[in-house]
Amino acid sequence: METRVLILTFQEVDTRYGLGRAELHQFLDLGLLRPAPAPDTIEVEEPDELLPRLARLHHGLGLAPEAIDVVMLMRQRVLRLQDALARETARARQLERFITGGGPLLEG
């Protein structure tokens, strides 16, 4: 899957997602967003996922930017754990097939 990277102005982010200048500066300070080279712009990978999520957490749940940072870190950890679980589950199935004579054991 190709990652989309967009450079958006603070005004565009405010208009589209309701995240104002002060909020964006807090998200930048926490490392949740990356500054772009031009003033008052951000560089965002997959903006259609990240920015609505930040807006929902901030406006919908009323979380402070520091709490959003924790939530986003926990989300990344959960995604990594889900990936690891999927890999281990696939390995267990493969081993089970090998033990029961259903197929070869592949490196993985």
Side-chain angles (χ1 to χ4, degrees):
M1 185 168 106
E2 187 176 318
T3 301
R4 290 183 351 167
V5 177
L6 290 179
I7 295 178
L8 300 170
T9 66
F10 283 15
Q11 181 61 43
E12 289 172 318
V13 175
D14 189 17
T15 300
R16 290 183 191 177
Y17 306 103
L19 296 170
R21 177 179 301 278
E23 296 156 329
L24 292 174
H25 279 292
Q26 289 176 319
F27 293 148
L28 286 165
D29 290 344
L30 290 168
L32 293 170
L33 296 173
R34 287 190 314 242
D40 293 336
T41 59
I42 58 171
E43 186 177 287
V44 185
E45 290 181 16
E46 302 298 336
D48 294 333
E49 292 180 22
L50 177 62
L51 293 171
R53 182 171 290 119
L54 290 176
R56 267 192 320 273
L57 291 169
H58 185 65
H59 296 301
L61 296 177
L63 297 180
E66 295 80 9
I68 293 171
D69 185 33
V70 172
V71 169
M72 297 298 284
L73 289 172
M74 291 174 66
R75 182 180 181 279
Q76 288 174 348
R77 180 154 171 79
V78 166
L79 291 174
R80 283 194 305 271
L81 288 170
Q82 286 175 332
D83 287 344
L85 177 60
R87 282 191 306 276
E88 293 303 319
T89 300
R91 289 181 66 196
R93 285 187 187 127
Q94 180 186 24
L95 183 57
E96 184 178 289
R97 283 192 306 272
F98 176 74
I99 290 171
T100 60
L105 186 61
L106 305 173
E107 293 294 320

